[in-house]
Amino acid sequence: MSSATTLSTRSGHASSQEMLHLVLRIGLLPILMAIVIIGTSLLSPYFLGWMNVVNILRMASFLAIIACGQALVIIAGGFDLSVGAVVALASVVTAKAMAAASAAIGGPEIVAIAIGIAAGLGSGIAVGLFNGLCVSMLKVSGFVVTLGTMSAAAGIGLLLTNGIPVYGMPNSFVQAIGRSQFLGFPLAIYIALAVILAMVFVQRRTLFGRYVYAIGGNQEAAVVSGVSIRPHLVGTYVVSGGLAALVGILLTALVGSGQASLGGDAMMLQSIAAAVIGGVSLRGGIGRVEVVAVAALFLTILGNALNLLHIDSRIQPIFLGLIMVLAVALDEFSRRRTARV
Amino acid sequence: MTAAAISQTTPPQTAEPLLVLSGVTKEFPGVLALDGVDLDVRAGELHVLFGENGAGKSTLINVISGTFPPTSGTFRFAGEEMQGLTPSAARAVGISPVFQEFSLVPSLTVEENLFLGREKSAAGVLDASGMRRRARELIAELGFDLDPKARVDRLDRAHQQMAEIAKALLGNVRLLILDEPTASLTERETGRLFELIAKLKSDGVGIIYVSHRMREIRALADRVTVLRDGRHIKTLDAATVTDGELVELMTGRKIDVLFPAITHKPAETAIAVENLSTADGLVKGVDFFARAGEITGIAGLVGCGKSELVRAIYGIAPIASGTVTLRGEPLHRLDPRTSLRSGIAYFPANRGVEGLALSRPIRENVSMAALDLDRYQRRGIIRRAAERALIGPIMETLKLRPPNIERPVGNLSGGNRQKVMLGRAMARDLDIFLFDEPSVGIDVGAKVEVYEFIKRLVEQGAAVVVVSSELPEVLALSNRLYVMHHGRIAALLEGPAKTEQNVLSSFFEEEAREKAA
Amino acid sequence: MSDANLTATGKAPGLEGKAGGERPSARASGLSFGNTWLRKLALPIALVALLGGFALADDRILTSYNLLNIAQQASYLALFAMAQMVVILTRGFDLSLGPTVSMVSVGAALAMMGMGGGEANGLVVVAAAILAGFALAVACGLFNGVVVALLGVSPLVATLGSMNIAIGVATTISDGRPVQGVPATFSQTFYTGSILGLPIAIVIAIVVGGALAFVLSRTVFGRSLYIIGTNPQAAAVAGIPVKRLLVLAYILCSALAALGALMMTARTGSGEPNLGGTLSLQSIAAAVVGGTSLAGGRGGVATAVLGALFITILSNGMNLTRIDGYVQMIVLGAIVILGVVLDRLRLDTR
């Protein structure tokens, strides 16, 4: 493709491309974010209102938590398409378990709540474990395995509820986790911050994080260096499943019922979009969760801005699709530009 | 070097050598890679493994370093039976391999790579400062010019090699395995490595050294073990063996003339490049030309840009600047299809990766680069009978055995695979041939056939370019020899000036020039 | 992939060039010969077993009415599986296939409405539908192909992106509601009509399948797709115009999907913005279960059709034996995973 242009003009061509690319590479996310924020706040007075800001942060928290798990899986060279379905599954399982426990025990609500949360997290971790084991033991592509578990998990969620919301959770669960605020911000934001900080620590300072980078960067080198692959691969899927389940629980508390329609394909797509826009390389080995979290915030702001500007919600997927493709194309472009060793 | 960097335990005073392999066999599905190999390495000894590509050297060092277990046979190290050895267990007992295919993760830093698999940590949390300190100490001890914080994919090949060696020497080393460690090092760096090896030997470290460079074997070896076809042929004392003896043992026959006598009749310039630089920066401002009727050689270390030069001419390595002229006409478009149509063929070094579609039949692999010709298709529909009738005789003349062109290429030996590549060049009319490491991975018999093929091409008036890391090969085949170093042409040697000594010294001169600049 | 790895690390082919090396490999090929037969027969046997099993559970399964029904049902999925197979051959896949179907469905229905619907000349209306449908599909395929081949984006992200775009387009142009008023001529052409007593859907699937089989096995384009899928770098070195052919493969995929979309639109009698639903997943499942390898370069019309038949029979049987739709989702998921595990095993024993 590049050889189609004449050879002599190439060097001048390349440097201007390099400039463009440099600007885009370093500044894509902040620049886009600034444009969206400034533009929208000029057009809609409501945008920077306290309620809206809190709302954005809350929705961004959910996405950021899932995207952190997704990023970890992608850095290790995999893919997790099942996160959206896990959100739904965890929501249903949490609500069912909590309702059943509170009906059966009747005692202090905290016990029922704990049982429900444990069951919800457990369901997500179980799906993650299954994904991880299939990928690492059977050596099949993570993409297809999670495509399968996505369908299966969504099916189980629907089967458990018949598509009807599950009520009967203790009121204090909804009050304490879904609606409580601290210093004016909902609990979900603090949980997301904690998750992000923990993941930053895991990535930078722990063996697990280091090995995830190594496995994604060059699995063969990791093997001959004595890194055991299987537990770490499984670990990434378990973390991803667990974090998706956490979001399922938080969403359940927010809406007050267990619903098989939560999460879904949209959330899965957005988590991949956030990871990819946040600089996680689909080739594995590269990416930082803090940037991914910023990308999640950006996507949420974008969606919110489009809503406020009365842009048809049906057109919104088009923006998401284009931005995602653009981000990866830029990444690919910069990879080809840098010298190969 | 301090004691910390190497073995802290004194070699065992038992009579048993450090490493004893007996009857080691390794089978892969359909291939017997090692067949009852015996090998012993003593503490403080440098033991050379000698053999052709595919003789089983790589498999053997992979078994010793725990990459995969042997199918049968016993493996004792430091007096203990090694069973179920893993790479990390091997490192823990002091077996430290330096692979040719680097075991480095490109997206991590040098320091992160040094400690990969044995990080200093407490409860899963990394001790970053401790590792940094240790990495700096080690690099300083080794005298390498290496930044521990640099990302490996930003280093050139020589520095990656240093990082790989440093990685092997971190920790308690009792047996060091070096697989062609000098392939990408300059004279000076090689000298530094040899000093290091001498030091390690005096500290009682056993060393397995894979190389087929006679000079290195002469300079370093205590004993030499020759492998052929996965079997142990003989172990010899390096002090008494002759070069001829070694080559004969390696090849299993007396090769009178490995390299054919080629009559070069240089005619007009077929292809020329001016001030060519590639986008990846591995070729910098190169002027080069090749004439019809002669072989133009390009020599240089691994990673010096010699492959990239021919790849750029063929159109698979993007060009940053410069011009390519074909038979006097400047080329405005460089891509494989255009190159083939203008009569240029390229034979990649790595046939498995860039040459062949392994699960497809030989017939399809041979006709692959010629499907645009009317001989093979009419309006996009393949003329299958014609294809069979054309490809069959081509493979016949190349002595494909067995002569069945419907077998998948994946089932073929290296020599036969190379014949498929040669057949591809005969499937259409071409007159400029670019060979990238033509004899890698094939046995002597097949090498002779490849050289004969090249000889026929040249004597029929074709322009042939041979890129090779095997110095004897390019020296013998080429009429004019370019020497590349760090992406530049270091020398052009012709006639009597075309000697091994001149090639090696031109690296040095180029190095000095770079220093001065 | 595994081939390349083995060669790169020089482990297995350590015996390259050894005279006796031909012997063990001959043994290996004998082994794979057995496997090929096993592989080829496994799915037909499974199909018969499946039919037999369901027939025991419910005697409506083996009626000629139901078998024809299954064949008709399967023709749609077979078309989508063939579409998917074309890009899977090149190591890609198309997640936007389902939304493309939706987009084509509403696009074609709107075009027919625009031409006057039932009042206008039937042929003109049908031509408008075909034109609009294929134009949208080709645009989508072109987008996928350009993004994958020229920009170097992984097929996953590229088609995930176009999937979003197609969903957006489909719901926007239809306002999220079904587009009613598909004229009878259109239904006649793509659904109710029959040729030689066979429903038109089956006829279309057979004709398209035959044509595609010819293209894949007998043309330079088809041959090149297999080579690209087996070893893209080698294809590029051999002067095969990899990028151009990849773009064409994605366009062909979308065009086949568009044909299926027109047929489904004729069946439902309206342009449906959610018609594609889970078709991306189902078509990948069908192709993979049938034996198309995600590693590229392996598969064909037969694998796609067999896979489509298998999944159709399974869901037909589950419907007739009144197995819950949600359970069917779980079964579909399990089958996808099973399919890749089998694919993996086949590659390993090769």
Side-chain angles (χ1 to χ4, degrees):
Chain A
M1 169 188 57
S2 53
S3 49
T5 51
T6 50
L7 304 180
S8 47
T9 60
R10 189 152 310 148
S11 59
H13 202 57
S15 71
S16 69
Q17 273 182 340
E18 206 114 34
M19 283 285 289
L20 172 82
H21 149 239
L22 208 69
V23 170
L24 288 175
R25 187 76 207 131
I26 294 172
L28 180 66
L29 204 49
I31 290 174
L32 281 179
M33 195 126 98
I35 291 173
V36 172
I37 292 176
I38 294 168
T40 316
S41 56
L42 289 178
L43 292 171
S44 164
Y46 183 72
F47 179 65
L48 287 182
W50 179 250
M51 283 296 289
N52 194 46
V53 168
V54 168
N55 189 32
I56 287 176
L57 287 177
R58 187 195 338 247
M59 296 326 277
S61 302
F62 297 140
L63 183 55
I65 294 173
I66 292 192
C68 280
Q70 183 73 260
L72 198 66
V73 174
I74 299 178
I75 290 169
F79 243 113
D80 192 351
L81 300 184
S82 68
V83 287
V86 167
V87 169
L89 180 66
S91 169
V92 169
V93 168
T94 305
K96 280 255 174 191
M98 212 177 281
S102 74
I105 306 169
E109 290 186 339
I110 184 82
V111 178
I113 292 174
I115 290 175
I117 291 177
L121 284 177
S123 67
I125 289 170
V127 173
L129 200 60
F130 180 84
N131 287 336
L133 289 176
C134 277
V135 169
S136 64
M137 315 252 293
L138 303 172
K139 305 215 162 47
V140 292
S141 89
F143 172 75
V144 186
V145 170
T146 56
L147 197 63
T149 48
M150 172 177 103
S151 175
I156 294 173
L158 287 164
L159 192 65
L160 285 175
T161 61
N162 263 316
I164 304 160
V166 180
Y167 292 99
M169 291 179 291
N171 214 14
S172 55
F173 171 66
V174 178
Q175 290 304 331
I177 294 179
R179 315 238 159 103
S180 72
Q181 296 202 336
F182 186 68
L183 300 177
F185 292 104
L187 185 65
I189 295 175
Y190 296 101
I191 293 180
L193 282 177
V195 167
I196 293 163
L197 286 177
M199 291 290 288
V200 168
F201 180 79
V202 165
Q203 279 202 309
R204 300 232 170 121
R205 298 295 304 276
T206 67
L207 274 179
F208 176 70
R210 174 69 53 83
Y211 288 163
V212 166
Y213 279 121
I215 291 168
N218 182 351
Q219 183 159 339
E220 210 144 300
V223 170
V224 298
S225 302
V227 176
S228 46
I229 307 297
R230 195 173 290 167
H232 298 103
L233 275 187
V234 174
T236 60
Y237 283 98
V238 167
V239 169
S240 175
L243 289 178
L246 176 62
V247 171
I249 294 167
L250 292 174
L251 278 170
T252 307
L254 183 69
V255 300
S257 62
Q259 297 187 7
S261 59
L262 294 176
D265 289 0
M267 200 125 205
M268 177 268 287
L269 289 176
Q270 289 202 345
S271 74
I272 294 176
V276 160
I277 295 169
V280 175
S281 165
L282 290 176
R283 291 162 192 280
I286 296 171
R288 298 205 173 278
V289 289
E290 61 271 27
V291 189
V292 172
V294 173
L297 180 61
F298 165 70
L299 285 178
T300 313
I301 292 176
L302 182 68
N304 181 272
L306 292 175
N307 278 336
L308 288 185
L309 301 178
H310 301 295
I311 290 172
D312 191 339
S313 68
R314 299 186 186 107
I315 300 183
Q316 291 183 17
I318 302 182
F319 283 91
L320 183 64
L322 283 176
I323 290 178
M324 201 158 91
V325 169
L326 184 73
V328 177
L330 270 176
D331 181 47
E332 204 50 43
F333 186 67
S334 73
R335 204 183 56 84
R336 283 192 212 171
R337 280 272 138 201
T338 50
R340 185 176 62 90
V341 178
Chain B
M1 173 165 312
T2 68
I6 51 149
S7 170
Q8 287 172 320
T9 50
T10 48
Q13 294 307 309
T14 51
E16 186 174 323
L18 184 62
L19 172 80
V20 183
L21 299 182
S22 49
V24 167
T25 296
K26 178 69 196 175
E27 254 187 285
F28 292 105
V31 192
L32 190 62
L34 289 178
D35 186 0
V37 172
D38 299 330
L39 178 74
D40 68 277
V41 180
R42 299 174 196 134
E45 172 194 42
L46 189 138
H47 196 125
V48 166
L49 283 185
F50 193 70
E52 305 198 88
N53 288 306
K57 294 169 299 186
S58 299
T59 313
L60 188 61
I61 60 178
N62 272 305
V63 166
I64 297 171
S65 45
T67 311
F68 38 68
T71 313
S72 64
T74 61
F75 173 0
R76 294 174 66 77
F77 180 74
E80 281 181 40
E81 185 80 30
M82 294 285 127
Q83 259 175 359
L85 195 66
T86 62
S88 54
R91 276 179 199 273
V93 297
I95 300 176
S96 222
V98 177
F99 291 106
Q100 218 182 341
E101 292 296 327
F102 296 143
S103 67
L104 302 172
V105 177
S107 52
L108 296 182
T109 64
V110 169
E111 175 189 301
E112 287 167 344
N113 268 295
L114 289 186
F115 285 90
L116 186 59
R118 51 199 162 148
E119 287 81 358
K120 292 185 178 199
S121 64
V125 178
L126 299 167
D127 171 15
S129 57
M131 288 194 282
R132 167 136 321 157
R133 217 177 312 119
R134 182 73 193 87
R136 287 191 192 288
E137 274 170 28
L138 177 69
I139 290 169
E141 274 170 24
L142 299 177
F144 285 162
D145 150 40
L146 203 58
D147 174 9
K149 281 188 284 184
R151 254 176 68 163
V152 162
D153 56 2
R154 311 253 157 87
L155 299 177
D156 65 19
R157 211 183 141 89
H159 282 84
Q160 290 182 350
Q161 177 78 72
M162 292 178 204
E164 185 73 33
I165 292 170
K167 182 179 173 185
L169 292 175
L170 180 85
N172 167 33
V173 181
R174 301 178 66 186
L175 177 70
L176 181 66
I177 303 171
L178 296 165
D179 188 0
E180 302 210 23
T182 55
S184 56
L185 298 184
T186 61
E187 203 83 335
R188 194 171 54 86
E189 291 155 352
T190 303
R192 182 79 200 103
L193 177 69
F194 286 3
E195 286 170 29
L196 208 72
I197 287 173
K199 184 82 145 275
L200 289 167
K201 275 173 67 174
S202 69
D203 288 333
V205 175
I207 298 172
I208 295 177
Y209 193 98
V210 178
S211 178
H212 42 250
R213 298 190 173 183
M214 287 299 176
R215 288 195 323 142
E216 293 178 5
I217 295 170
R218 286 273 159 262
L220 299 169
D222 295 307
R223 286 190 298 161
V224 182
T225 288
V226 182
L227 293 178
R228 191 202 320 141
D229 295 348
R231 280 189 294 272
H232 175 262
I233 300 301
K234 204 168 182 184
T235 297
L236 308 123
D237 189 341
T240 55
V241 70
T242 66
D243 289 5
E245 217 176 320
L246 277 178
V247 172
E248 200 179 318
L249 285 169
M250 169 177 85
T251 58
R253 58 188 120 170
K254 251 196 146 71
I255 299 291
D256 303 323
V257 273
L258 180 58
F259 301 108
I262 299 173
T263 328
H264 301 273
K265 285 190 201 121
E268 76 285 0
T269 300
I271 196 137
V273 306
E274 236 173 89
N275 199 19
L276 184 94
S277 299
T278 54
D280 57 18
L282 289 174
V283 177
K284 300 165 196 148
V286 163
D287 292 329
F288 164 92
F289 69 88
R291 288 177 296 194
E294 72 168 355
I295 298 177
T296 310
I298 309 179
L301 300 168
V302 172
C304 69
K306 59 188 190 308
S307 294
E308 285 71 19
L309 173 58
V310 288
R311 292 166 68 82
I313 293 173
Y314 185 65
I316 39 182
I319 283 178
S321 63
T323 54
V324 179
T325 318
L326 179 71
R327 298 183 200 93
E329 301 280 322
L331 278 179
H332 292 294
R333 199 186 155 84
L334 294 178
D335 66 65
R337 201 173 180 75
T338 318
S339 297
L340 285 165
R341 284 186 178 157
S342 14
I344 307 175
Y346 168 71
F347 301 85
N350 195 334
R351 290 178 288 279
V353 172
E354 290 200 323
L356 301 164
L358 294 180
S359 63
R360 308 304 300 173
I362 295 169
R363 172 176 46 84
E364 289 186 14
N365 271 284
V366 173
S367 65
M368 192 159 134
L371 286 180
D372 54 324
L373 301 179
D374 288 342
R375 279 179 250 170
Y376 297 95
Q377 52 100 14
R378 189 182 292 134
R379 283 189 220 95
I381 295 167
I382 292 173
R383 304 167 65 178
R384 290 208 291 194
E387 185 190 18
R388 244 177 257 124
L390 287 162
I391 303 302
I394 289 177
M395 294 320 288
E396 196 100 338
T397 56
L398 287 169
K399 304 196 192 98
L400 176 79
R401 292 291 172 266
N404 175 5
I405 58 170
E406 298 302 325
R407 297 202 308 156
V409 172
N411 290 356
L412 301 181
S413 65
N416 272 334
R417 289 183 186 188
Q418 181 65 299
K419 284 180 191 172
V420 173
M421 294 301 297
L422 300 181
R424 193 181 290 173
M426 292 170 71
R428 65 186 301 152
D429 305 317
L430 302 161
D431 54 5
I432 299 172
F433 298 86
L434 312 171
F435 288 90
D436 195 352
E437 309 282 0
S439 61
V440 159
I442 62 182
D443 68 11
V444 173
K447 267 184 198 171
V448 172
E449 288 183 41
V450 170
Y451 297 147
E452 286 295 335
F453 182 83
I454 292 176
K455 172 184 159 81
R456 275 201 304 278
L457 291 176
V458 173
E459 294 183 348
Q460 284 161 12
V464 174
V465 177
V466 172
V467 171
S468 179
S469 305
E470 297 281 324
L471 213 38
E473 179 176 276
V474 264
L475 283 170
L477 293 178
S478 58
N479 191 37
R480 294 183 313 122
L481 178 62
Y482 287 91
V483 182
M484 280 188 76
H485 190 65
H486 285 183
R488 297 178 199 284
I489 299 286
L492 170 58
L493 306 173
E494 282 180 87
K498 208 177 53 158
T499 63
E500 186 170 353
Q501 199 45 51
N502 281 348
V503 171
L504 293 174
S505 60
S506 62
F507 291 155
F508 186 69
E509 284 159 22
E510 176 68 21
E511 193 97 321
R513 233 171 301 164
E514 276 173 27
K515 280 266 146 59
Chain C
M1 189 60 213
S2 60
D3 289 333
N5 274 344
L6 284 177
T7 320
T9 52
K11 284 168 198 160
L15 283 202
E16 283 195 343
K18 173 183 164 188
E22 301 294 331
R23 199 163 14 87
S25 57
R27 190 178 40 183
S29 74
L31 207 95
S32 68
F33 179 75
N35 266 324
T36 324
W37 281 104
L38 198 69
R39 179 169 94 204
K40 284 193 174 149
L41 288 181
L43 201 58
I45 291 171
L47 279 176
V48 173
L50 200 60
L51 269 177
F54 279 127
L56 289 179
D58 191 310
D59 52 13
R60 281 171 301 171
I61 304 276
L62 279 184
T63 57
S64 62
Y65 171 77
N66 188 48
L67 287 180
L68 198 64
N69 185 28
I70 288 178
Q72 190 167 1
Q73 293 285 330
S75 348
Y76 301 98
L77 187 56
L79 269 178
F80 298 126
M82 284 190 260
Q84 198 66 255
M85 179 267 299
V86 169
V87 286
I88 294 180
L89 277 186
T90 68
R91 296 190 178 181
F93 37 68
D94 186 0
L95 293 180
S96 69
L97 186 138
T100 305
V101 168
S102 308
M103 184 171 75
V104 168
S105 176
V106 293
L110 284 171
M112 287 188 276
M113 297 278 285
M115 296 303 292
E119 278 85 68
N121 182 334
L123 273 180
V124 175
V125 170
V126 171
I130 294 177
L131 211 64
F134 279 96
L136 282 170
V138 168
C140 186
L142 188 66
F143 177 88
N144 288 337
V146 166
V147 171
V148 170
L150 300 186
L151 301 183
V153 174
S154 83
L156 177 80
V157 175
T159 60
L160 215 52
S162 61
M163 167 177 148
N164 275 306
I165 295 170
I167 291 174
V169 171
T171 50
T172 306
I173 60 178
S174 67
D175 244 351
R177 289 187 294 271
V179 181
Q180 302 292 350
V182 170
T185 334
F186 182 74
S187 298
Q188 175 74 25
T189 315
F190 286 110
Y191 180 57
T192 52
S194 66
I195 294 175
L196 298 174
L198 281 178
I200 190 80
I202 299 178
V203 175
I204 293 178
I206 289 174
V207 170
V208 169
L212 186 62
F214 179 83
V215 166
L216 289 180
S217 65
R218 298 292 302 276
T219 66
V220 175
F221 172 68
R223 166 86 60 92
S224 304
L225 288 190
Y226 281 99
I227 292 174
I228 291 171
T230 311
N231 188 343
Q233 281 167 284
V237 169
I240 292 173
V242 175
K243 290 172 179 168
R244 198 190 314 159
L245 295 186
L246 274 180
V247 175
L248 282 177
Y250 279 94
I251 291 177
L252 178 59
C253 169
S254 295
L256 288 173
L259 183 59
L262 293 176
M263 289 158 61
M264 284 178 74
T265 308
R267 188 175 65 176
T268 54
S270 56
E272 299 283 341
N274 295 318
L275 191 63
T278 57
L279 274 180
S280 303
L281 175 60
Q282 282 197 31
S283 58
I284 293 177
V288 169
V289 168
T292 314
S293 171
L294 285 172
R298 279 162 194 275
V301 170
T303 63
V305 171
L306 276 178
L309 269 174
F310 182 80
I311 287 181
T312 310
I313 292 174
L314 195 64
S315 66
N316 176 277
M318 288 197 292
N319 281 335
L320 285 183
T321 49
R322 295 213 185 72
I323 290 174
D324 195 302
Y326 302 142
V327 175
Q328 295 194 22
M329 284 176 74
I330 303 172
V331 172
L332 183 64
I335 285 178
V336 172
I337 296 174
L338 198 69
V340 279
V341 170
L342 288 178
D343 179 34
R344 188 70 234 168
L345 291 178
R346 281 193 295 259
L347 286 178
D348 282 349
T349 52
R350 192 159 38 104

